[in-house]
Amino acid sequence: MTMIKKASRLALIKALLSKPQILRTKPTISLFLCQYLRKFPVMDVGGRLVLHSHLPPINSKAYSRFINEHLLAKIQGPSHAQIALTNACPQNCDYCYNKRRTGTRMDTPTILRVIQELKQMGVFWLGFTGGEPLLNRDIVRITESVGDGCALKLFTTGCHLTPQLAADLRNAGLIYVSVSLDHWQEAEHDRVRNYAGAFRTALQAIEIFKGLGDMHVSVSAVLSKEMIRNGQVEEFLQFLIGLDIHEAWLSEAKPSVAGLWKKDAIIAEDERLALVAMQDRYNKEGKITVNYLGHFEGKEHFGCCAGHKMVYVDAFGYVSPCVFTPITFGNVREREISNIFRDMRRRFPSESRCFINTNYGLIKKYYHGVAPLPVEETLQLMQEVEFASYSKFMQLLYH
């Protein structure tokens, strides 16, 4: 029996009617959101109505915060944040965005404080990443601290997961989990991850989380340029459909590390648009939700919100615009994150293209073996950045 359950039209109507304040948004924004909603099969996961795992359930308090704080009040704070709970990981992916990040790891009280400060700033969606976040022994306590009003997603390789830990995380408030799986062939996935057994570990983790019954389970996949250019993404999606999961979260490998600082490694616009069209086609079929990052952050939708509505705090407390961008505007041990974010946001107006895909050359120019780039080099780099125009959504929001 499949675990995929589409939300009934009646349940969706009730959820939307429970948030009448959305009618106070600009008609053009309401129309945009309705059109965007129609591009996804809304899933009923334990009574939560889920569009995709990078937005809160439609019938949640977190989604109400999205409407009230970001669409109506138009607060200056972030809506989305990710925190690395550790930089340790048994796997060793060549494209890992945390490679070469170093420092003194944040202790649990610091992580707990930062989470509450982020929520106060406006964050309604929070991702736990790493390294392998399950290696943080306080992960259940940290998960529980997030509390109501903020959707929580875990990114994991599945290493060190047990059925008891999965249940504890669910009971502590985790609603989304994304297990790393980059290929449908075991040998290739293990090779990419530089870890024997990575494939079987991922499949076991997926089954454990599915066994809980009310967890939104997805795969987080980094698509290689070979898979994209050889037309193999659909073969991969068919494999994922066979796993009976809710969602495939997809991204091309980002130029976050030196090995990818070259033009040939960057996805071309026609390749991005092909993946966007593929997502729309698969979502109409409704067998799985496809959630491609280049769809969400494309000029036709929300654009790149790095440093504007997105913020990343690495395992050592350094604050970056997003997980893929190895620059920093400060450390949460030295300054309040609200002040660091304010300085960053002044320099990140949001744009219609991916920041790191466009500016990896500047990272390469200022990089001297230390990641993230120190604040002084970051500020120098930012003076050379030229931002593109707003995405469609940001044009509607700000004009």
Side-chain angles (χ1 to χ4, degrees):
M1 181 178 178
T2 181
M3 69 179 291
I4 305 301
K5 178 183 177 182
K6 293 183 182 179
S8 69
R9 185 178 297 272
L10 179 60
L12 183 57
I13 291 173
K14 286 183 177 179
L16 294 174
L17 290 177
S18 71
K19 305 181 189 305
Q21 67 270 36
I22 198 170
L23 297 177
R24 290 162 41 207
T25 63
K26 291 166 55 178
T28 52
I29 290 180
S30 295
L31 177 61
F32 173 90
L33 293 175
C34 286
Q35 292 173 336
Y36 185 73
L37 186 149
R38 292 178 63 186
K39 295 183 178 183
F40 294 86
V42 181
M43 301 291 183
D44 183 334
V45 186
R48 303 184 186 96
L49 305 187
V50 177
L51 196 65
H52 60 67
S53 64
H54 277 223
L55 285 174
I58 297 171
N59 56 342
S60 68
K61 182 178 177 181
Y63 198 86
S64 295
R65 291 186 59 212
F66 165 50
I67 298 170
N68 296 335
E69 298 175 24
H70 293 271
L71 299 184
L72 295 177
K74 297 182 181 179
I75 64 171
Q76 299 294 299
S79 59
H80 290 63
Q82 293 197 55
I83 299 177
L85 300 189
T86 178
N87 223 46
C89 185
Q91 301 185 11
N92 185 25
C93 309
D94 291 337
Y95 56 74
C96 179
Y97 51 73
N98 275 323
K99 275 189 179 296
R100 297 193 180 278
R101 284 186 180 249
T102 59
T104 302
R105 187 172 65 86
M106 287 189 293
D107 58 18
T108 297
T110 301
I111 295 173
L112 298 177
R113 171 176 60 81
V114 169
I115 288 172
Q116 296 309 312
E117 290 174 352
L118 286 169
K119 286 185 64 178
Q120 292 169 11
M121 292 163 61
V123 168
F124 60 74
W125 182 96
L126 181 62
F128 285 164
T129 183
E132 173 48 66
L134 295 181
L135 291 177
N136 187 311
R137 295 181 180 180
D138 289 332
I139 187 171
V140 175
R141 176 186 171 194
I142 294 169
T143 297
E144 192 172 28
S145 77
V146 176
D148 200 11
C150 186
L152 180 60
K153 180 174 181 177
L154 171 70
F155 295 89
T156 178
T157 64
C159 290
H160 299 275
L161 181 71
T162 65
Q164 185 61 56
L165 178 55
D168 290 345
L169 289 169
R170 186 269 311 274
N171 295 337
L174 182 66
I175 64 173
Y176 298 135
V177 63
S178 199
V179 179
S180 297
L181 191 60
D182 296 335
H183 207 277
W184 68 94
Q185 294 178 348
E186 180 174 357
E188 180 62 15
H189 180 71
D190 287 2
R191 184 193 68 79
V192 170
R193 294 267 157 177
N194 290 300
Y195 184 82
F199 184 84
R200 295 187 181 186
T201 297
L203 294 188
Q204 182 181 36
I206 289 169
E207 291 305 312
I208 289 174
F209 282 118
K210 284 171 56 179
L212 296 175
D214 57 358
M215 180 79 76
H216 184 278
V217 182
S218 65
V219 154
S220 174
V222 179
L223 306 177
S224 68
K225 64 178 182 180
E226 291 78 17
M227 187 183 293
I228 295 172
R229 293 170 185 174
N230 294 336
Q232 296 177 319
V233 178
E234 292 210 48
E235 187 172 356
F236 186 38
L237 288 176
Q238 290 300 319
F239 170 77
L240 296 181
I241 289 172
L243 295 183
D244 193 30
I245 56 174
H246 294 104
E247 178 180 308
W249 187 89
L250 309 176
S251 174
E252 68 275 5
K254 296 288 187 179
S256 303
V257 294
L260 296 174
W261 292 340
K262 50 190 177 182
K263 185 176 181 180
D264 184 58
I266 309 304
I267 190 169
E269 178 64 3
D270 62 327
E271 293 170 332
R272 184 190 73 84
L273 290 174
L275 290 174
V276 167
M278 184 182 298
Q279 168 173 318
D280 289 341
R281 177 161 49 85
Y282 269 79
N283 284 351
K284 282 183 180 179
E285 295 175 2
K287 296 178 181 178
I288 190 173
T289 297
V290 179
N291 184 16
Y292 167 50
L293 181 58
H295 187 286
F296 186 87
E297 69 176 14
K299 59 186 177 182
E300 60 276 10
H301 295 119
F302 295 94
C304 177
C305 294
H308 189 80
K309 285 296 181 181
M310 167 62 82
V311 59
Y312 173 52
V313 184
D314 74 13
F316 313 109
Y318 290 105
V319 180
S320 300
C322 76
V323 294
F324 301 118
T325 308
I327 62 178
T328 188
F329 289 82
N331 193 294
V332 296
R333 288 195 186 88
E334 300 166 1
R335 298 175 60 203
E336 291 186 4
I337 191 170
S338 58
N339 293 330
I340 298 173
F341 181 79
R342 188 179 301 115
D343 289 347
M344 181 167 61
R345 192 180 190 276
R346 284 174 37 227
R347 295 171 170 85
F348 278 83
S350 181
E351 61 176 330
S352 57
R353 61 189 182 189
C354 173
F355 179 86
I356 189 62
N357 280 359
T358 305
N359 294 289
Y360 67 90
L362 290 177
I363 304 291
K364 180 179 180 179
K365 174 181 177 180
Y366 285 93
Y367 180 70
H368 298 290
V370 176
L373 297 184
V375 174
E376 183 177 349
E377 282 81 354
T378 293
L379 296 178
Q380 292 176 0
L381 178 153
M382 292 304 300
Q383 293 178 10
E384 300 187 44
V385 173
E386 296 183 6
F387 286 94
S389 59
Y390 282 145
S391 66
K392 182 177 180 179
F393 175 77
M394 289 301 181
Q395 289 175 1
L396 297 175
L397 183 65
Y398 291 138
H399 296 294

